[in-house]
Amino acid sequence: MPRLLRRLLDGITQKMLTQTLRALERDGLVHRRVCPTVPPRVDYGLTELGVEAGRLTSAIGAWSVGHAQQVLAARQALDDQAAKASEPVR
């Protein structure tokens, strides 16, 4: 799986991928299984906690996509208000 992840996560180094997977394992989000093969292979999978975190992350992503225009409009309105406030009085 790390090889597949490395292909999917363009630009990530093996060291960073390993550190991230170890941290996720430590947090209980993934489980790690070493397969006694030659060469050795390591498989990772999501735990129940990891699956739940994935659902929440997906929900936040869907909300973000669904509300992106509102967020951008709010930013623009505040930027316009700040620009108007900084204009010199004539």
Side-chain angles (χ1 to χ4, degrees):
M1 182 159 157
R3 285 187 186 141
L4 174 63
L5 284 174
R6 263 185 85 194
R7 279 188 254 133
L8 292 173
L9 302 171
D10 189 35
I12 192 168
T13 64
Q14 182 63 48
K15 179 181 177 184
M16 182 51 67
L17 179 59
T18 299
Q19 287 176 348
T20 301
L21 287 168
R22 285 183 182 163
L24 291 171
E25 181 183 20
R26 184 171 183 237
D27 291 341
L29 298 172
V30 299
H31 56 83
R32 178 177 182 264
R33 184 175 63 118
V34 178
C35 300
T37 59
V38 177
R41 189 181 85 222
V42 178
D43 289 333
Y44 291 88
L46 291 174
T47 63
E48 269 188 53
L49 192 62
V51 170
E52 184 178 352
R55 283 191 203 114
L56 291 169
T57 302
S58 293
I60 291 170
W63 180 92
S64 299
V65 169
H67 293 83
Q69 291 303 315
Q70 290 172 279
V71 170
L72 293 173
R75 286 181 185 175
Q76 188 63 53
L78 196 60
D79 290 349
D80 292 346
Q81 185 181 15
K84 189 174 183 178
S86 65
E87 290 177 2
V89 178
R90 296 179 191 203

